[in-house]
Amino acid sequence: MTDIVIKAENLGKMYTIGHQAERGGYASFRDVLMQNARTLWNKSKDLATGKPIIQGDTLEEVWALKDVSFEIRQGEAVGIIGRNGAGKSTLLKVLSRITEPSTGRVTIKGRVASLLEVGTGFHPELSGRENIYLNGTILGMTRAEIKRKFDEIVAFAEVEKYLDTPVKRYSSGMYVRLAFAVAAHLEPEILIVDEVLAVGDAKFQKKCLGKMQEVGTEGRTVLFVSHNMGAIEQLCSSAMLLKNGQISSRSDNVLSVIKDYVFVHDSSDAPCYWENPGTDEFDNDYFKPLKFYFSDETGGEIRQMPVRNDEDIWINIVGEVRKLDPALYFGIGVFTETETFLFGSMFFDGHPDVWPKIDIGINTLKCRLPKHTLNEGVYKVEVHGGLLHKEFYFSPGRDNPKIFFEIKGGLSESLLWLEKRLGLFAPVFEWKN
Amino acid sequence: MTESSSTHPQEHVLIIEPGRSEKNYWTDLWRYRELFLILAWRDISVRYKQTIIGIIWAIIKPLLTMVVFTVIFGRIAKLPSDGNAPYAIMVFAAMLPWSLFSNALSESSNSLISNANLIGKVYFPRLIIPAATMVTAFIDFLVSFIILIGMMVYYQFAPGWHMLLLPCFIILALLASLGPGLWIASLNVKYRDFRYIIPFVVQFGLYVSPVGFSSKIIPEQWRMLYSLNPMVGVIDGFRWCILSGNSSIYMPGFLLSFAIIAFFVWLGVSRFRKAEKTFADLI
């Protein structure tokens, strides 16, 4: 069972980003003519005045993938992780033949099905039944195959009653369930999946994870991109970390790759300090985070990790409140190394009398993380917030402002607890007799 | 589910390389025939799902155009018909291939853009998308063919054995639209201007092609030049089949039209295949 089913050698994909790409990927013929006329004019002007002619004024070459080589054995479930723009989706697109690589070569043995999106090709006007056939065929199933699995698909999606209703009348949950159900019944030798588990409610997600695990145990090869480290850890037998279009680590030890991703221990990748880069990325009408950092008892900023567990840590959020709304709230979310959401805390946690006062303008809020709470390790803190029950501007799982801290030492005054303890937390509780 | 064919992965070996032209492109196309059919079926069923009178639209358009042309060219301009054939039937015999051609052309050239979500997310030979629109256009053709039968009954005009050759000309009309359709579809991905060209070509072509009149009225010395329009050959062919002995095909002109159609199909397919691999990046 060690046949290599996918072999990639020096794979590269280059995109030329220039004037055209900035305006949404396509140009109109008129614009091209105009631009050519303009460059022609500029060039002749430069020629006349004796200046050097500059070719391709705003063209830039970007390598979305570069020198990527790997081998995948049959039956392996490979988790591909990396930040946005690291080249994960490009890699999947190359492997599923949607786009051609610029360099290198891939050899694939076996039938591939790729699932880069749930419900590709779903048509809102068509009924659930019709869409099952449409989507199934698009994903590469034959009509006979779909017919055979039809009841199974419908049962999995739990949409029996609405089979003949156009899917535009479906709730978004039903829509997603139906779409995933079709995809879950694909039976290729190699399955390529891009971030599709992040849909549906918790119960359905669990069902999907179960289904994916089943696929893994049937000896099929799975390539799986996700930002959900829990799912990667649970489903994958090996993992690959992409960074700037290159493989930065690849190992059968999934956890170690995840750690490489979440906590790369150089200060630029796991910063304990965040400042708004000045882009509009975190803008909304109500609240704009400006600064996010840790401080100690005395209010002094902590710029050095690790910290000891016998000191309180203060988490500071500095932000500009632009509009007051009784529903406006913000706070923090704390995650472990494997992206498990440990807990969240908002400024309205306590009795209304002790809530901090929020005004228009710049506010600084501090949250105390009591000593002797967490275990040794590295943790991530994110800004969360929004308008309560209305809008989630900074929801868990998004690319929120985040900072990291590491706890080492000072677990307790006991002589026996000197090292990292088992479990997520390391509280010091009171014992009596 | 034990009979699934997942036993010998070695059977399908796929190599992905830049610039590698797909060896088994055409067999792949055959493998994806079900997708072809289902896309065509989707287009047809979606089109009529939100209309009240549904398929009747496919009847009204050519019927009204035929009436207008018969009145203007036949009654007012008093142009001659082909032989003894009623003018209305002669016009309609040309309306059929013309609407087949123009529907197929406009739909195929827009097809890639309207299926952009598929192109970015799944692999299949892209040729399937524009090819599937041919089926849709053909269904509309079949519907309007009913009118022709009705008219023949009304005018008591019986077709001859020539009618049996009509399928050849139907295929020819589809090929005539497929060539430019593929070419423009692939250009459309990069330069969206081309979608404005099609309505213009279709409208202009309706008057340039011998739809409202017989191609007989073109002076002999110009007929070769006139046949550079590939639809001239197709329309003459249709009239020859439907009007039997009343219409004749001008052979040199027909062969020229045929050659031009063949050239455009070759051009369209080769352009399309060259551009195909970059569709997902550009669309």
Side-chain angles (χ1 to χ4, degrees):
Chain A
M1 277 303 199
T2 51
D3 319 52
I4 286 157
V5 286
I6 301 180
K7 184 175 179 177
E9 297 154 87
N10 304 318
L11 211 57
K13 173 78 191 174
M14 187 195 72
Y15 287 100
T16 311
I17 297 185
H19 190 59
Q20 298 179 3
E22 278 164 28
R23 290 185 297 98
Y26 69 89
S28 75
F29 190 53
R30 195 193 62 195
D31 289 341
V32 171
L33 280 185
M34 287 294 285
Q35 207 195 329
N36 283 344
R38 213 176 298 131
T39 27
L40 191 69
W41 168 247
N42 286 340
K43 275 182 194 165
S44 14
K45 217 166 58 179
D46 287 351
L47 201 66
T49 52
K51 277 189 223 156
I53 297 169
I54 301 151
Q55 288 275 355
D57 44 305
T58 53
L59 292 183
E60 192 197 339
E61 287 180 356
V62 175
W63 286 87
L65 283 181
K66 199 161 189 189
D67 283 333
V68 172
S69 304
F70 58 86
E71 286 177 350
I72 291 173
R73 295 180 304 273
Q74 195 198 336
E76 209 175 341
V78 188
I80 301 173
I81 53 184
R83 301 190 168 184
N84 291 339
K88 304 179 301 276
S89 296
T90 311
L91 177 62
L92 295 197
K93 279 190 175 178
V94 168
L95 292 180
S96 41
R97 287 206 278 172
I98 292 164
T99 178
E100 197 184 31
S102 313
T103 61
R105 176 192 167 99
V106 191
T107 316
I108 300 179
K109 287 182 198 163
R111 285 184 310 152
V112 183
S114 49
L115 188 57
L116 304 193
E117 178 190 61
V118 271
T120 306
F122 258 47
H123 201 290
E125 293 294 336
L126 299 179
S127 71
R129 181 191 307 277
E130 292 167 325
N131 267 310
I132 291 178
Y133 279 96
L134 177 63
N135 186 236
T137 317
I138 287 171
L139 292 175
M141 288 195 241
T142 62
R143 201 183 152 75
E145 216 176 325
I146 302 172
K147 221 172 198 165
R148 189 153 47 82
K149 293 180 190 157
F150 190 83
D151 293 336
E152 230 179 298
I153 293 175
V154 174
F156 190 88
E158 303 160 27
V159 292
E160 292 90 341
K161 271 194 277 177
Y162 307 98
L163 262 185
D164 294 304
T165 314
V167 295
K168 65 177 174 185
R169 309 241 179 275
Y170 278 29
S171 73
S172 55
M174 278 158 67
Y175 184 94
V176 160
R177 285 207 302 272
L178 182 65
F180 190 87
V182 180
H185 291 81
L186 281 170
E187 280 184 353
E189 284 138 9
I190 299 167
L191 182 64
I192 295 178
V193 186
D194 190 2
E195 195 73 77
V196 290
L197 291 175
V199 295
D201 53 20
K203 186 176 145 231
F204 190 70
Q205 276 193 18
K206 216 168 172 181
K207 204 164 154 185
C208 298
L209 272 177
K211 188 76 194 175
M212 291 282 299
Q213 231 158 6
E214 226 178 282
V215 170
T217 52
E218 281 165 6
R220 273 185 242 147
T221 313
V222 185
L223 269 79
F224 178 49
V225 161
S226 182
H227 286 287
N228 179 345
M229 296 302 137
I232 295 267
E233 198 188 334
Q234 201 180 335
L235 293 175
C236 299
S237 58
S238 69
M240 180 152 84
L241 171 62
L242 284 180
K243 209 170 148 188
N244 300 326
Q246 285 172 311
I247 295 182
S248 105
S249 64
R250 161 108 168 92
S251 160
D252 282 347
N253 186 345
V254 179
L255 211 58
S256 82
V257 181
I258 292 180
K259 280 183 186 167
D260 281 350
Y261 167 57
V262 184
F263 300 97
V264 187
H265 285 276
D266 64 82
S267 54
S268 65
D269 276 21
C272 55
Y273 176 86
W274 180 89
E275 203 165 8
N276 197 317
T279 56
D280 55 5
E281 192 186 343
F282 302 110
D283 266 12
N284 59 64
D285 292 345
Y286 293 90
F287 175 69
K288 180 187 186 183
L290 296 172
K291 236 172 116 179
F292 192 30
Y293 62 96
F294 300 108
S295 63
D296 59 23
E297 212 78 50
T298 60
E301 219 177 289
I302 304 176
R303 287 290 192 115
Q304 202 81 50
M305 290 291 159
V307 291
R308 288 175 60 84
N309 207 6
D310 48 8
E311 293 161 9
D312 289 348
I313 313 173
W314 289 84
I315 297 163
N316 300 258
I317 306 174
V318 183
E320 186 191 344
V321 173
R322 296 172 159 174
K323 217 188 298 180
L324 279 180
D325 190 299
L328 175 68
Y329 74 98
F330 44 93
I332 52 156
V334 177
F335 295 79
T336 65
E337 290 184 271
T338 50
E339 294 276 289
T340 305
F341 190 6
L342 278 182
F343 57 84
S345 175
M346 301 296 148
F347 71 70
F348 57 63
D349 275 0
H351 187 276
D353 291 347
V354 300
W355 290 359
K357 198 169 151 25
I358 307 289
D359 291 312
I360 295 264
I362 302 211
N363 291 259
T364 304
L365 294 192
K366 291 164 181 290
C367 166
R368 186 167 68 97
L369 202 63
K371 60 186 174 187
H372 298 314
T373 308
L374 295 166
N375 207 340
E376 277 191 353
V378 187
Y379 300 89
K380 179 175 82 170
V381 188
E382 281 188 359
V383 171
H384 287 167
L387 295 178
L388 200 59
H389 302 311
K390 282 188 208 155
E391 197 93 47
F392 226 155
Y393 291 121
F394 301 100
S395 60
R398 276 208 215 156
D399 202 6
N400 297 317
K402 51 178 166 281
I403 46 179
F404 299 84
F405 67 96
E406 185 178 359
I407 293 176
K408 204 163 176 72
L411 282 178
S412 84
E413 277 147 10
S414 161
L415 294 173
L416 298 173
W417 283 129
L418 296 173
E419 286 170 356
K420 182 173 174 150
R421 296 168 60 172
L422 284 173
L424 290 172
F425 294 91
V428 179
F429 288 138
E430 199 180 317
W431 285 74
K432 272 190 179 173
N433 59 6
Chain B
M1 259 143 280
T2 40
E3 93 265 43
S4 72
S5 58
S6 60
T7 38
H8 298 290
Q10 283 82 358
E11 277 171 12
H12 313 258
V13 176
L14 175 75
I15 294 173
I16 305 171
E17 253 179 344
R20 186 187 177 87
S21 70
E22 209 54 72
K23 256 198 325 239
N24 34 19
Y25 188 82
W26 300 104
T27 44
D28 240 17
L29 212 55
W30 173 245
R31 267 195 35 226
Y32 281 90
R33 64 191 180 277
E34 287 198 349
L35 181 61
F36 166 78
L37 291 176
I38 209 151
L39 285 180
W41 161 82
R42 177 199 66 179
D43 288 345
I44 295 164
S45 77
V46 166
R47 185 130 61 98
Y48 295 119
K49 271 218 165 143
Q50 274 198 326
T51 54
I52 304 174
I53 51 173
I55 206 101
I56 298 174
W57 284 115
I59 296 182
I60 289 180
K61 217 176 109 190
L63 190 68
L64 286 181
T65 321
M66 181 273 292
V67 169
V68 170
F69 275 19
T70 309
V71 170
I72 292 178
F73 291 108
R75 293 283 149 79
I76 301 175
K78 296 222 168 17
L79 294 178
S81 179
D82 278 344
N84 300 322
Y87 205 87
I89 292 190
M90 189 203 71
V91 169
F92 203 75
M95 268 325 294
L96 283 176
W98 179 259
S99 33
L100 177 62
F101 168 80
S102 61
N103 287 342
L105 180 65
S106 27
E107 270 159 42
S108 62
S109 51
N110 269 328
S111 58
L112 288 178
I113 297 183
S114 42
N115 286 292
N117 60 334
L118 286 189
I119 291 175
K121 297 291 179 193
V122 220
Y123 167 80
F124 52 87
R126 308 306 189 201
L127 205 56
I128 284 179
I129 292 181
T133 61
M134 298 287 135
V135 179
T136 327
F138 178 67
I139 299 288
D140 279 351
F141 168 82
L142 287 184
V143 173
S144 37
F145 199 81
I146 298 169
I147 314 174
L148 180 74
I149 296 172
M151 285 169 67
M152 286 181 151
V153 172
Y154 178 81
Y155 285 103
Q156 310 246 308
F157 186 88
W161 58 269
H162 305 79
M163 200 66 166
L164 296 175
L165 286 171
L166 194 66
C168 304
F169 292 100
I170 296 173
I171 291 169
L172 201 60
L174 286 174
L175 288 177
S177 57
L178 186 65
L182 286 178
W183 190 27
I184 293 166
S186 55
L187 283 170
N188 231 339
V189 172
K190 200 169 180 188
Y191 304 110
R192 303 284 154 107
D193 308 48
F194 283 87
R195 76 172 123 189
Y196 305 117
I197 293 181
I198 295 299
F200 171 73
V201 168
V202 167
Q203 201 179 20
F204 187 68
L206 178 61
Y207 296 99
V208 171
S209 307
V211 178
F213 46 88
S214 163
S215 55
K216 258 191 345 205
I217 64 168
I218 306 291
E220 197 65 34
Q221 68 266 36
W222 296 111
R223 274 199 91 167
M224 207 58 193
L225 191 69
Y226 193 55
S227 299
L228 280 173
N229 171 0
M231 280 312 284
V232 171
V234 175
I235 289 173
D236 283 355
F238 260 75
R239 286 206 171 122
W240 179 75
C241 293
I242 293 170
L243 308 178
S244 306
N246 292 301
S247 179
S248 58
I249 296 183
Y250 173 63
M251 247 326 162
F254 176 76
L255 290 176
L256 180 64
S257 290
F258 187 80
I260 286 178
I261 290 171
F263 168 74
F264 269 111
V265 169
W266 170 82
L267 184 79
V269 171
S270 65
R271 287 292 134 134
F272 191 89
R273 288 204 51 192
K274 207 169 228 170
E276 189 171 23
K277 288 185 174 152
T278 60
F279 286 166
D281 298 336
L282 290 171
I283 210 154

